[in-house]
Structure formats: C-alpha cells, structure tokens
C-alpha cells in the first residue's frame, strides 16, 4: 500500500516539475517576472510536500485517537477524561462513566433476563374410557337365559371384554370395580375370576412442578429478584446476574486493554448504573466506524489527492483547460488536491494532526488566491481582495486551533472554518472574473471577455467543491466529480465554440491594427524620403537666391511634415523606447495646448515593442483630446517596472460626459475606439472617466501574464 502511494507521490512531483517547465516556456516560471507569484508557487510546492508527508505518516500509523483516558479504581474501569473535539465527546461520553466493554471484551456484567432451558415432563398415560356398571335388573335379565333367537345375551365379544375389565368409575375410589356376568361361559368366568379377586393398579396422579409454591407459580431458584410466571407462560425468565458484577478478567489482560488503542467502547453513567434494570440499560456506545477500514480509506483518499495533483498540473500546464488558467497550473492543482491530502490527518482525530491540517488547508489556497488577485484589473480592487484573502486565511487558521478546545458537537466552528477556507480562492476568482470598474465596457476583450471570466471563476470555485467533497466523503467523490464533468461538457459544447469566435474576432482586430501601423510606416517613409528631401533642397535654393521669406516658409512646411512623420511612425520610439518618445510628444503638445504640459516618468525597464507602441498611441490620442477639449495643466505619468506598465493622462478641463465612453462607438468617437483597440491588442485595461471636480482621466494599465 505504501509503495503504491509512494509511486503516486513521485508521479505527482514529476508532474509538478513538468508543469514548471511548461509554465516557464510560456510565462517565465508561471507568472512571468513577478517575484510574488514565484514565491506563491514555492509556497504551493511546500504545502503539497508537507501534506503528502503527513498523509503518509497517518497512513503508516493507521490509528484513531478516540479521546478518552481510562482508569481502574479497584472495582470498575472508569473514564477519567474526555478530550475536546474527539469521537468520544461527539458520541456523548463524559468523565466518571463506568466502562461496560472495551474492544468487544466485557468488563462489567449488567443484569439481564435470561430464559433457562427446561426439559418438559413426559405426559401422563391415557386413562381408558369408563364403562357404566349394569344395574341389578339388567343383570337379572342378562342371566335369564338365551334370547328369543336362541343366542346367549352375553355372547357379544365386545361387551364381554368390556365387562371383564376392571375399570374405576369416575369419582369412585380405585377399589371400585365392575363384576362379571353370572351367565358367562365357564371359560369367561375362569378368565375373569382372578381379576375380580386381585387388587387393581391405581391410576397415577399428575406430577407437581418442581419447587411449587402456593398459587401455581414456580421458583427456579432466582431469589426474590426472579421473575414470576404462570405455568402456561413457558420457561421462566431469570435475572442474571442479580446485580451489576465486574467480569472476571486477568489483571495483565486488563492492563493491556487499558493501554491498547480503543476501537469499540461501551460505558454507562453511575446514575443509570444505579437505577437501571433488566428491562433495559442506557449505555453510551462508540462503534468501530471510526477505526474499521481506516487504512483502506486513507489509502483511497491519498491516491485521489495524488491523481488530482498530477492530472491537474498536466492538464492545466498543457493548455487543454484554457489559456487563462494555464499559468495557474501549479496553484490550482495544489488548492484542489490539498483537502484530500490533508484529510488523513483529520481522520486520526489526534490533536496535533488536526491542528496541522487546520494550517495546511488555508495555506494550500493562498497561492491560488494570490495568482487570481494578480488578474484583478483595478489597483484598489486588487488591494481590497488581498486584504480579504489575508483576513479569511488568518481566520481559518485561528478557528482551526480554537477547534481543539471546543466541544465536538459544536459544528458551527467547523462550518465557519470551511467557509473561510473556501472564501480564500473564491473571492479573488470572482473579482478577477467580474469587472468591477465603472468603465468596464472599455476593458479589453481578452482581459475581461466571457471565456476568460468563466475560466477564472471556475478556477476560484473548484477548490470550494473539493472542500465540500472532503466534508462529505463518499466513493463517488460528489460533488467534485459532478462539477468536473459539468465543466468538461460546458467546455466542449459552449466555451470552446465561443472561444473560437472570440479568437477569430481578435485576429481580425489585430490584423487591422497591424495593417494600419504598416500603412502609417509606409506613408511616413514616403514623406521622409521624398517630400522632405525635395523641400530641403528647395529651401537651400531659396537661401542661395536671397529669398529669405520663401526659405522661412519652406522651413515651416518641413517642420510640420516632420511632425506628421513623427505622428505616423516615430523612429525615436523604436530606438530609445516609449519614455523618450513621450518626452518628444509632450514638448510638441505643449506648443499646441498653450499651457503647462508636464511629464512624470519612471521607466527602469522597457516593455515589449508592441506594448510600447500601444502606450504611445494611447498617450498621443489622450493628449490630443486634452489639448482640444480640456485645458492646462495637463499631467502625464508613466511608470514601467518588471510587474508591468502604467500610463495616466489628466487635464483640468470640464471633463468627459458621464457614459460617453460607453457610447463611443455609437457616437462616432473614433479616438476612444482607437484607444480601446490598442488596449485590447496588448491585453491591457483602459480606464476613461471624469474627475468629480472637473477634468478627464485616461488610464492604461498592462501586466505581463
């Protein structure tokens, strides 16, 4: 058994390593360059390793602590103490109870009615039917001679035989006999003569029942406590023993029983022991359902946990479950498998093991919760989600330790702990799946689309179903198995067709954006290589001819064409990045806005080229709108780190109308639509809203996944 589970554990760890490699190829150790996510992955691996180790120890020990301490007081074996949150407390055992039996060994014999085997007495011999004694007249008539037809009267054999038998008449004494007929034949007289003169055998009287007492009752020696029954009631019930009596048991055997693990226990309170009777005793019972079959159950649960861990990492890391949950391969598999891997610790009912399980359960959910919180769009919402996650995890750990000091029948603490543990991944999963910002309609389709939202919601809810399955463990693994089957069916017939449609739409959008950029670059190159060269030559000729005014006009046209080329495709963006490009853009817009335009930037790293281009285009459109519809001061902020990039443009104008961003497509606001397309292309979040005191805020946030 242990070797099989060890092989399953090695398979699980090999799957973990394979999952790490797959995640590294796609997102640089599952979550790109995010150090917090790397720490979360390491925490997930540590939790699953600890769960497997302690689960194997529970399987190797294979015993249950029922939570009672026994003591022998010289007469009875009593319960000295009952541990909190133990099977004994759950079944109603209290200190001071007298033990009736341990592990099917009787320690105290309680009076019970028994029915002894009684051999029935043989029935009395059957009494012949009496024949009436003939009267003297009849005798005289019989002796008168032959009948008219010539035959003797006593010639009837039956009558002769009956007359020759001495029979006691009913109610007469045994000596009362019938006499023979005088007219009988000599042979008959000779045969009957001895019978008439000898003493007849008396009829035996019924034998009285043993130990008969007046009134017809029978005392079988049970004393005053014996039950009384009538002869017609069958065997008599006997109270055996008359009083509660300790069973005769060897002291060494008793000592071994007190030290051995308890699988079955029966006990009775002193009050019930004193006031009980043979009709029934109130006994508290702890059956073997806590112990019998425990190794096989522990083995089954550990195998299920290892299969969920290995299969989950392989399925998620391969991308078969969806692109959005592919980076969540390790934390999601660990969060789903941890309840099964920690269940053997709970099944032992051993205080330290239960405390360890109470810590492992919330810790197994934390890496997944942190990874889901990283996918929450708004910074404020993400911060709130992380605070809730930390609070629920702390509360679950505290209740897990407090549970050791509470009564086992207090199920409120158990439900509270499971609800808090389930809320750890569920809250960030829902927050990442459902856009909370007021400008949710401008969020990118890839970032907040229905497919991604469904995948993140399922990722947050799956560990909750795993917890429910652990709480109501059954061979079918319901409701987790039903949940996974529903996910597979929905993915096959609903999510995948929808994902194909969305992928086709995103591909068309990306092709349009790419074609637009290519056309911009071509036009800019044509202007730079053709028109600007000709204008530069013309300006030199005008200077040589002494036409200063014409040369100045030519230089003005050259500057405007260069600005147009920069708008179409800025070489500085490709060479130095979006930071220097924003410097150039701010200086150019400041001349058009007629006021202060300030740039605050901190760009220690450069995002990918497509991200830099999208940021530059969004800033370009936002600054153009601020110069046309707003007023100075205009503040541009750009920050780029390993965790992502953030851009914001704020002006002091009247502000965009509420709801205008949602109606941009219908109102023909192509600038807002262009910004939305740029954000969707890089899977970033666009936030356009008016400030309460006036002005418009345009924000763009991108995070590597």
């Amino acid at each position: 058994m242990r070797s099989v589970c060890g092989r399953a554990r090695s398979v699980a760890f090999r799957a973990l390593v394979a999952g790490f490699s797959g995640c590294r190829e796609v997102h640089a150790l599952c979550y790109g360059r995010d150090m917090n996510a790397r720490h979360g992955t390491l925490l997930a691996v540590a939790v699953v390793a600890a769960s497997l180790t302690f689960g194997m120890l529970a399987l190797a020990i294979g015993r249950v602590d029922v939570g009672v301490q026994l003591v022998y007081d010289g007469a009875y074996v009593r319960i000295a103490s009952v541990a909190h949150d133990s099977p004994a407390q759950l079944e109603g055992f209290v200190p001071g109870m007298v033990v009736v039996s341990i592990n099917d060994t009787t320690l105290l014999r309680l009076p019970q009615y028994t029915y002894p085997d009684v051999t029935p007495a043989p029935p009395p011999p059957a009494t012949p039917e009496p024949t009436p004694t003939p009267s003297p007249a009849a005798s005289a008539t019989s002796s008168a001679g032959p009948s008219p037809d010539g035959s003797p009267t006593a010639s009837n054999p039956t009558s002769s035989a009956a007359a020759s038998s001495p029979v006691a008449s009913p109610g007469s004494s045994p000596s009362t006999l019938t006499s023979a007929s005088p007219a009988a034949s000599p042979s008959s007289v000779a045969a009957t003569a001895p019978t008439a003169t000898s003493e007849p055998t008396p009829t035996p009287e019924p034998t009285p029942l043993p130990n008969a007492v007046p009134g017809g009752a029978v005392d079988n020696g049970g004393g005053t406590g014996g039950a009384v029954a009538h002869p017609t009631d069958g065997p008599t019930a006997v109270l055996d023993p008359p009083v509660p009596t300790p069973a005769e048991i060897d002291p060494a055997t008793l000592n071994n029983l007190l030290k051995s693990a308890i699988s079955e226990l029966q006990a009775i309170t002193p009050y019930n022991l004193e006031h009980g009777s043979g009709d029934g005793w109130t006994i508290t019972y702890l059956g073997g359902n806590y112990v019998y079959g425990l190794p096989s159950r522990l083995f089954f649960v550990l195998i299920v946990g290892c299969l969920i861990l290995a299969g989950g990492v392989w399925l998620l890391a391969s991308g078969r479950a969806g692109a959005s949950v592919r980076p969540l391969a390790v934390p999601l598999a660990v969060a789903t498998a941890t309840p099964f891997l920690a269940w053997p610790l709970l099944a032992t009912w051993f205080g330290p093991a239960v405390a360890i399980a109470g810590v492992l359960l919330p810790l197994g959910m934390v890496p997944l919760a942190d990874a889901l919180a990283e996918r929450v769009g708004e910074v404020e919402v993400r911060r709130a989600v992380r605070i809730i996650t930390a609070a629920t995890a702390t509360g679950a750990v505290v209740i897990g330790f407090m549970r050791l000091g509470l009564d086992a029948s207090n199920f409120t603490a158990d439900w509270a702990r499971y609800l808090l543990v389930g809320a750890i991944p569920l809250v960030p999963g829902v927050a990442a799946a459902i856009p909370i910002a007021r400008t949710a309609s401008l969020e990118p389709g890839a970032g907040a689309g229905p497919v991604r939202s469904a995948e993140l919601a399922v990722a947050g809810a799956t560990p909750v179903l795993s917890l429910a399955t652990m709480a109501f463990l059954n061979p079918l693994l319901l409701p987790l198995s039903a949940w996974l089957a529903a996910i597979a069916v929905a993915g096959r017939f609903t999510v995948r067709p929808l994902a194909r449609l969305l992928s086709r739409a995103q591909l068309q959008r990306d092709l349009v954006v790419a074609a637009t950029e290519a056309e911009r670059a071509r036009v800019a190159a044509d202007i730079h290589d053709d028109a600007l060269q000709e204008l530069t030559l013309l300006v030199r000729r005008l200077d040589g001819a002494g036409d200063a005014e014409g040369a100045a006009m030519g230089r003005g046209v050259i500057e405007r064409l260069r600005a147009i080329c920069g708008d179409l495709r800025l070489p500085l963006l490709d060479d130095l990045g979006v930071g220097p490009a924003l410097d150039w853009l701010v200086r150019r817009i400041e001349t058009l806005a007629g006021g202060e335009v300030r740039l605050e930037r901190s760009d220690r790293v450069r995002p990918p080229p497509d991200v830099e281009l999208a940021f530059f285009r969004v800033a370009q459109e936002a600054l153009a709108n601020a110069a046309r519809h707003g007023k100075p001061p205009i503040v541009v902020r750009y920050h780029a780190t390993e965790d992502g990039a953030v851009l914001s443009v704020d002006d002091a104008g009247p502000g965009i109308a509420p709801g205008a961003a949602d109606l941009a497509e219908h109102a023909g606001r192509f600038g807002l639509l262009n910004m939305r397309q740029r954000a969707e292309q890089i899977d970033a979040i666009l936030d356009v809203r008016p400030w309460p005191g006036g002005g418009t805020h345009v924000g763009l946030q991108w995070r590597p996944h």
Side-chain angles (χ1 to χ4, degrees):
M1 182 184 299
R2 298 175 188 173
S3 61
V4 173
C5 197
R7 290 195 296 271
R9 180 172 60 180
S10 63
V11 170
F13 276 109
R14 286 198 297 270
L16 281 174
V17 175
F20 291 151
S21 302
C23 293
R24 229 183 251 113
E25 294 175 359
V26 182
H27 296 296
L29 195 55
C30 299
Y31 305 112
R33 295 165 290 184
D34 194 347
M35 189 63 88
N36 293 332
R38 187 177 299 127
H39 291 164
T41 304
L42 295 177
L43 176 61
V45 174
V47 169
V48 76
S51 301
L52 280 171
T53 302
F54 287 114
M56 293 293 295
L57 287 177
L59 179 60
I61 296 174
R63 59 177 295 177
V64 175
D65 183 9
V66 297
V68 295
Q69 294 291 333
L70 304 179
V71 62
Y72 180 62
D73 61 0
Y76 301 118
V77 175
R78 297 181 183 271
I79 296 178
S81 63
V82 177
H84 288 284
D85 193 24
S86 63
Q89 188 185 59
L90 184 63
E91 298 297 338
F93 288 86
V94 294
M97 297 180 73
V98 179
V99 177
V100 177
S101 69
I102 302 176
N103 299 343
D104 296 327
T105 301
T106 302
L107 301 182
L108 178 65
R109 296 178 58 209
L110 298 177
Q112 301 288 336
Y113 283 117
T114 60
Y115 295 87
D117 294 335
V118 178
T119 304
T127 304
E129 295 183 3
T131 302
T133 303
S135 62
S139 299
T141 304
S142 301
S143 61
S147 61
D149 58 1
S151 61
T153 305
S155 62
N156 191 329
T158 304
S159 300
S160 300
S164 63
S165 299
V167 179
S169 62
S172 63
S173 63
S175 61
T176 304
L177 301 176
T178 57
S179 59
S181 172
S185 62
S187 59
S188 299
V189 172
T192 57
T195 304
T197 59
S198 64
E199 287 293 327
T201 302
T203 302
E205 296 182 356
T207 303
L209 293 175
N211 303 328
V213 297
V218 177
D219 184 4
N220 285 326
T224 57
V228 176
H230 294 284
T232 58
D233 292 340
T236 303
V238 177
L239 199 61
D240 183 36
V243 295
T245 305
E248 295 182 1
I249 187 170
D250 183 69
T253 305
L254 178 61
N255 188 41
N256 292 334
L257 281 175
L258 297 180
K259 293 180 179 180
S260 62
I262 298 176
S263 60
E264 182 269 342
L265 181 65
Q266 296 184 34
I268 187 171
T269 62
Y271 177 85
N272 291 330
L273 184 62
E274 180 180 356
H275 295 85
S277 65
D279 294 330
W281 299 89
T282 304
I283 297 177
T284 304
Y285 175 73
L286 189 148
N289 55 315
Y290 294 96
V291 179
Y292 296 151
L294 181 64
S296 60
R297 284 184 291 165
L298 295 183
F299 178 73
F300 170 74
V301 173
L302 283 176
I303 288 296
V304 170
C306 293
L307 291 177
I308 291 176
L309 180 64
V313 172
W314 172 79
L315 181 66
L316 296 171
S318 63
R320 291 177 173 84
S324 298
V325 295
R326 186 175 183 181
L328 306 177
V330 173
L332 180 54
V334 169
T336 307
T338 297
F340 292 94
L341 299 178
W343 186 86
L345 299 175
L346 298 174
T348 62
W349 292 86
F350 182 54
V354 174
I356 292 174
V359 175
L360 291 177
L361 280 176
L363 286 183
M365 307 294 169
V366 169
L368 177 61
D370 184 70
L372 291 172
E374 289 292 327
R375 283 148 180 80
V376 177
E378 289 191 340
V379 178
E380 296 81 4
V381 178
R382 189 186 314 121
R383 186 180 299 113
V385 166
R386 281 179 168 164
I387 292 174
I388 295 174
T389 300
T392 52
T394 304
V397 173
V398 171
I399 293 179
F401 280 102
M402 290 177 56
R403 190 70 181 85
L404 299 177
L406 299 176
D407 292 340
S409 58
N410 188 352
F411 296 105
T412 304
D414 289 333
W415 283 109
R417 177 175 61 179
Y418 288 135
L419 288 176
L420 289 176
V421 173
I424 295 174
L426 185 61
V427 171
V430 173
I434 301 177
I436 303 178
R438 291 178 297 174
T439 57
S441 60
L442 290 181
E443 294 188 358
V451 176
R452 178 180 181 272
S453 298
E455 290 174 350
L456 294 179
V458 168
T462 300
V464 180
L465 274 298
S466 181
L467 281 171
T469 304
M470 182 199 72
F472 306 99
L473 191 62
N474 56 86
L476 297 179
L477 299 178
L478 296 173
L480 180 62
S481 58
W483 171 258
L484 296 178
I487 292 174
V489 173
R492 175 65 178 84
F493 297 102
T494 304
V495 178
R496 289 183 182 178
L498 183 58
R500 285 194 292 267
L501 292 176
L502 290 177
S503 299
R504 194 174 299 122
Q506 293 174 6
L507 179 61
Q508 293 176 354
R509 178 204 63 206
D510 294 342
L511 290 176
V512 170
V513 172
T516 302
E517 287 299 326
E519 187 65 17
R520 283 172 176 267
R522 188 190 65 79
V523 173
D526 290 344
I527 293 176
H528 181 272
D529 297 338
D530 190 3
L532 280 178
Q533 300 300 329
E534 295 293 337
L535 283 174
T536 302
L537 182 60
L538 178 60
V539 168
R540 289 181 179 180
R541 289 181 178 180
L542 290 175
D543 287 335
D547 189 355
E549 183 178 358
M553 293 178 61
R555 291 188 180 91
V557 173
I558 290 174
E559 291 297 329
R560 286 195 295 272
L561 286 178
R562 284 177 178 172
I564 292 174
C565 288
D567 292 339
L568 292 174
R569 186 69 179 183
L570 187 64
L572 185 64
L573 179 64
D574 298 330
D575 298 336
L576 300 180
V578 68
L582 288 177
D583 283 331
W584 174 87
L585 183 61
V586 165
R587 288 194 301 268
R588 179 174 177 272
I589 294 296
E590 189 172 13
T591 60
L592 301 176
E596 180 187 8
V597 180
R598 185 173 73 253
L599 173 64
E600 300 174 0
R601 70 185 181 95
S602 174
D603 47 349
R604 295 177 296 175
V605 296
R606 288 188 60 179
D610 58 335
V611 175
E612 288 190 324
L613 178 60
F615 268 72
F616 180 77
R617 292 304 182 197
V618 171
Q620 188 178 31
E621 188 65 37
L623 285 172
N625 290 336
R628 284 195 302 265
H629 306 292
K631 63 180 182 179
I634 302 173
V635 181
V636 181
R637 298 180 178 89
Y638 172 71
H639 300 280
T641 62
E642 293 181 351
D643 297 335
V646 178
L647 172 70
S648 65
V649 179
D650 298 283
D651 64 67
I656 190 173
D662 299 337
L663 303 176
E665 185 175 0
H666 302 285
R669 298 179 179 269
F670 297 105
L672 291 175
L673 292 177
N674 182 39
M675 288 191 292
R676 178 189 297 179
Q677 288 182 349
R678 298 291 182 174
E680 291 176 352
Q681 186 183 17
I682 62 173
D683 194 12
I685 296 176
L686 180 67
D687 181 16
V688 180
R689 64 174 183 264
W691 287 114
T696 302
H697 169 77
V698 178
L700 182 66
Q701 182 180 8
W702 171 83
R703 300 180 66 83
H705 297 299

